[in-house]
Amino acid sequence: MESQPATDADGRFPHRVLRLELGLALITLVVSAVFGLGGLVLTTPGLLLPLAVLLAAAFLYNGLLLWLDRRQVPEWVITWGARLGNLAFLTGGVGLTGGFRSPFLPLYAIYLVVASLRYGWRGAWRSFLLCLGSWPVLILLRPPDGAQGWAWVAMSLGTFLMIALAVGALADRHVGFWQESLQRNRELAFLSEASRSLGASLNPQEVLASTLSGVNRLLDVEAASLALVEPETGHIVLELAIGGGNEAVKGLHLEPGQGIVGRVIQEGRPLLVPDVRADPRWYAGVDRVSGYRTRSVLCVPLQVKGQVIGALEVLNKQDGTFTAHDLRLLSSLADLAAQSIENARLHEQVQVHASRLQAAYDEVSRLDKLKSAFIRNVSHELRTPLTLIKGYVELLLDGQLGPWLPEQRQGLLVVMDKANQLISIVNDILTLQTIGAMGFDLEDLSVVLLAQSALEAARARAERANIHLEMEVLGAEDRLSVRGDARRLRQSLDHLLDNAIKFSPGGGRVLLSVGREGNMVRVSVQDEGIGLDTDQLEQIWERFYQVDSSPTRRYGGLGLGLALVKEVVEAHGGTVWVESAVGQGSTFSIFLPAAAEV
């Protein structure tokens, strides 16, 4: 069986050249038929029929070989079939038409050229020797005439020998360049496929295993392995191995700097060791574990952003020694593998962090639910006794349980005021806890009437603080309606007025205005109070935020009022806005979608 030349990435190079060889044979037969048979018609008509039969048989034979080539017949069968069969037809045709003086004798040169296209020197010399073996048959068919005939035979042999030498020399360079080009194409195709596979995988172990198998085939080595550095300990772990007792060495640990792999990782430089037994850096412990005998090693580091994370090594090149080209190819693959491994590690870290964050979020959610349930239960438990306290105080103030002295009555009024404050705080807490969960009792509301009721409710407190309340309606009342929950919106207005009164100086004025802006109804509360810094304008809407959070602060409250206003208004599809300057008062506005006009 003939040794095969190098194949391209998909294994089709031999078939392409073989089909070229068969195609040339068919073309030669056609040309020979046209010119040779035409000449015989004029010169030797008696040879026309046998030569035509011979050419037809040769044509059909080569057509059959082309058909078999497309039917997965072993290549060597077709190769030797074409070589020996065409030589037999050629010898027969030359013998029929005059032997060494036949006009078809130059076809032997084509026979030599076709073979050399594929194998260079080897093909040319092998074909010449085959021709040399067929020429005794030719001599038997057409013996030379005297010394002149034998001289012609010798001259023909010399000519074909020179043709074989020249064609072999030229074709050998061509075949060498071709095979080298195909080798580069295979390497580029391999690196491209490895890049695609490794880049698309976040779990590169399986991809790296198949890649190492490809390296074994491409570099013609017996074994390959991948070693990674454990970030925590710095130890080297053989993660993957192909060939060479791979199952025994997989998972084997090496100390930092141990062996050639350890030295490559430690120094960050590749090493090419043609004879490991003569290299003091070689660590034979791996061979003892695997039972494999390492002769030569090519090892390159895996680096990501200047940090060595492992090494890739191949062992025992089967045809010759490792070259600088092998080193470049393996280094290119190592760069791809290192990036893929690093991406997988980062992905794993992200997954771990994501799991931890999800667990923390779940825990916070659980605690938030417990907190909400606790606040809700406590608020309900507080509201019941507060309602009873308020009821009894009202009975006492009405005198239904007997007369009271003025000082006693004043004390009861203080108790009533504080009870109302506590009830308001409890209601605020319950409102904040239930917004979005309990829903709203929606109805069409006149914002003007809602604002007037809130203003009247705040009047008594404003009078005690010596604050003058005013209301301004901008526009027709029938265009100042919204669809909303009256209790929740009234609660929001109460907080805006309460804040305005609380932060306004004695003798000041608070203006409540209602108007229309586009498709929104605007309610604004303007005061002449202390005002706000610009960096506080966003924070004041947060729960529990206090403008003055010092222990000795002048103004009381839990910091829930404005948070409640914002959440209630936004739950109605509206927005909140504030304009303020330190020492110049503030204007708080809420915007609610206007009800559809009938």
Side-chain angles (χ1 to χ4, degrees):
M1 184 183 301
E2 182 161 357
S3 61
Q4 301 300 319
T7 63
D8 60 3
D10 55 7
R12 291 178 292 183
F13 170 59
H15 293 284
R16 289 171 180 169
V17 180
L18 180 58
R19 289 168 190 170
L20 174 64
E21 184 177 335
L22 294 172
L24 286 173
L26 290 172
I27 293 172
T28 303
L29 289 170
V30 171
V31 172
S32 299
V34 172
F35 291 97
L37 294 177
L40 289 175
V41 169
L42 299 176
T43 58
T44 317
L47 295 177
L48 184 63
L49 180 61
L51 188 60
V53 171
L54 186 67
L55 288 173
F59 190 86
L60 292 174
Y61 180 76
N62 281 276
L64 175 65
L65 290 177
L66 274 175
W67 182 81
L68 291 174
D69 182 54
R70 298 180 181 277
R71 296 298 183 276
Q72 305 300 319
V73 175
E75 183 196 343
W76 68 271
V77 174
I78 299 172
T79 299
W80 281 102
R83 187 155 300 162
L84 296 176
N86 285 325
L87 182 61
F89 286 122
L90 177 59
T91 302
V94 171
L96 281 174
T97 56
F100 280 94
R101 293 185 179 274
S102 168
F104 293 107
L105 187 67
L107 293 180
Y108 280 107
I110 296 179
Y111 183 80
L112 293 173
V113 170
V114 169
S116 63
L117 284 177
R118 192 172 178 196
Y119 295 103
W121 272 114
R122 291 187 298 115
W125 278 108
R126 191 179 291 115
S127 297
F128 178 76
L129 292 175
L130 288 173
C131 291
L132 198 62
S134 70
W135 286 333
V137 177
L138 191 60
I139 292 173
L140 290 175
L141 291 175
R142 291 280 183 151
D145 297 330
Q148 186 179 5
W150 285 104
W152 185 265
V153 170
M155 187 172 60
S156 299
L157 290 177
T159 300
F160 286 119
L161 176 60
M162 294 302 297
I163 290 174
L165 290 171
V167 168
L170 294 174
D172 198 60
R173 292 186 62 190
H174 166 74
V175 171
F177 289 145
W178 196 344
Q179 292 183 355
E180 184 178 352
S181 175
L182 291 174
Q183 176 69 8
R184 299 295 179 269
N185 288 339
R186 286 197 303 274
E187 293 169 359
L188 290 174
F190 172 74
L191 290 174
S192 177
E193 177 61 22
S195 175
R196 186 193 63 79
S197 301
L198 291 170
S201 175
L202 291 175
N203 184 14
Q205 296 293 323
E206 183 176 344
V207 178
L208 284 171
S210 63
T211 302
L212 285 182
S213 298
V215 169
N216 279 17
R217 295 190 300 272
L218 193 63
L219 295 182
D220 195 22
V221 297
E222 295 179 2
S225 63
L226 175 77
L228 296 178
V229 178
E230 288 185 335
E232 298 81 7
T233 64
H235 287 93
I236 301 167
V237 183
L238 294 178
E239 292 283 348
L240 290 173
I242 302 295
N246 57 305
E247 292 301 326
V249 301
K250 194 178 296 183
L252 189 67
H253 283 65
L254 300 177
E255 295 294 326
Q258 188 175 31
I260 291 176
V261 171
R263 187 64 62 89
V264 167
I265 293 174
Q266 189 176 64
E267 298 179 356
R269 295 186 296 106
L271 282 177
L272 196 162
V273 182
D275 183 6
V276 297
R277 306 294 165 180
D279 196 303
R281 297 167 295 190
W282 169 246
Y283 172 64
V286 178
D287 278 7
R288 286 195 294 270
V289 172
S290 64
Y292 179 73
R293 187 177 183 275
T294 303
R295 300 185 303 275
S296 58
V297 171
L298 174 59
C299 186
V300 296
L302 301 174
Q303 299 189 55
V304 177
K305 297 178 181 178
Q307 180 180 2
V308 181
I309 63 171
L312 182 63
E313 68 172 354
V314 288
L315 313 176
N316 296 358
K317 187 160 185 174
Q318 301 185 65
D319 183 15
T321 59
F322 289 113
T323 65
H325 178 74
D326 297 333
L327 175 59
R328 287 193 297 271
L329 177 65
L330 195 62
S331 296
S332 298
L333 179 63
D335 291 339
L336 297 174
Q339 192 58 56
S340 176
I341 293 168
E342 184 65 13
N343 289 342
R345 283 181 174 179
L346 292 175
H347 176 71
E348 184 179 359
Q349 291 176 6
V350 169
Q351 292 293 96
V352 170
H353 290 317
S355 299
R356 291 174 180 173
L357 287 174
Q358 184 63 46
Y361 175 78
D362 293 341
E363 180 64 14
V364 169
S365 299
R366 186 183 70 83
L367 294 175
D368 186 64
K369 290 179 180 178
L370 289 176
K371 178 204 71 175
S372 298
F374 173 76
I375 292 174
R376 192 163 49 248
N377 292 336
V378 169
S379 299
H380 279 295
E381 293 299 320
L382 286 174
R383 188 158 62 173
T384 300
L386 284 173
T387 302
L388 289 174
I389 291 172
K390 181 180 177 181
Y392 275 106
V393 171
E394 288 176 343
L395 288 176
L396 292 172
L397 288 173
D398 289 342
Q400 297 184 30
L401 299 180
W404 295 94
L405 297 174
E407 294 82 0
Q408 294 172 324
R409 183 176 182 81
Q410 185 61 37
L412 290 174
L413 288 172
V414 173
V415 173
M416 174 66 79
D417 184 58
K418 298 305 178 183
N420 284 331
Q421 288 184 22
L422 286 174
I423 291 173
S424 176
I425 291 173
V426 169
N427 288 336
D428 289 347
I429 293 174
L430 289 174
T431 298
L432 287 170
Q433 292 297 317
T434 56
I435 287 177
M438 302 297 292
F440 291 128
D441 297 325
L442 299 179
E443 56 181 317
D444 289 334
L445 302 172
S446 169
V447 178
V448 174
L449 295 179
L450 197 67
Q452 287 174 345
S453 65
L455 195 70
E456 289 304 317
R459 195 171 296 281
R461 185 178 176 196
E463 290 176 353
R464 289 197 298 270
N466 193 23
I467 302 297
H468 180 62
L469 296 181
E470 295 181 7
M471 180 171 173
E472 182 179 43
V473 179
L474 305 173
E477 185 175 341
D478 58 353
R479 299 189 70 245
L480 302 176
S481 298
V482 299
R483 186 162 183 78
D485 187 311
R487 184 174 65 86
R488 300 289 177 83
L489 291 176
R490 167 62 190 276
Q491 193 176 6
S492 299
L493 293 180
D494 288 341
H495 278 294
L496 291 179
L497 288 169
D498 182 66
N499 270 7
I501 294 170
K502 180 166 61 175
F503 290 103
S504 293
R509 183 184 75 127
V510 172
L511 174 64
L512 174 61
S513 63
V514 181
R516 180 77 178 253
E517 291 191 11
N519 59 351
M520 307 292 283
V521 175
R522 175 186 53 78
V523 181
S524 297
V525 177
Q526 181 181 0
D527 63 52
E528 299 174 348
I530 61 175
L532 298 167
D533 288 327
T534 54
D535 59 350
Q536 294 177 311
L537 297 182
E538 289 295 330
Q539 295 175 293
I540 57 172
W541 304 105
E542 298 174 1
R543 294 186 183 189
F544 306 109
Y545 179 76
Q546 297 280 352
V547 175
D548 179 10
S549 59
S550 65
T552 60
R553 66 180 186 269
R554 174 183 173 187
Y555 306 101
L558 295 178
L560 294 176
L562 291 178
L564 182 145
V565 171
K566 183 175 185 292
E567 295 186 29
V568 167
V569 170
E570 289 180 349
H572 280 79
T575 59
V576 295
W577 185 255
V578 59
E579 297 177 7
S580 184
V582 176
Q584 299 180 18
S586 304
T587 300
F588 288 85
S589 301
I590 63 174
F591 296 85
L592 297 166
E597 298 182 12
V598 180

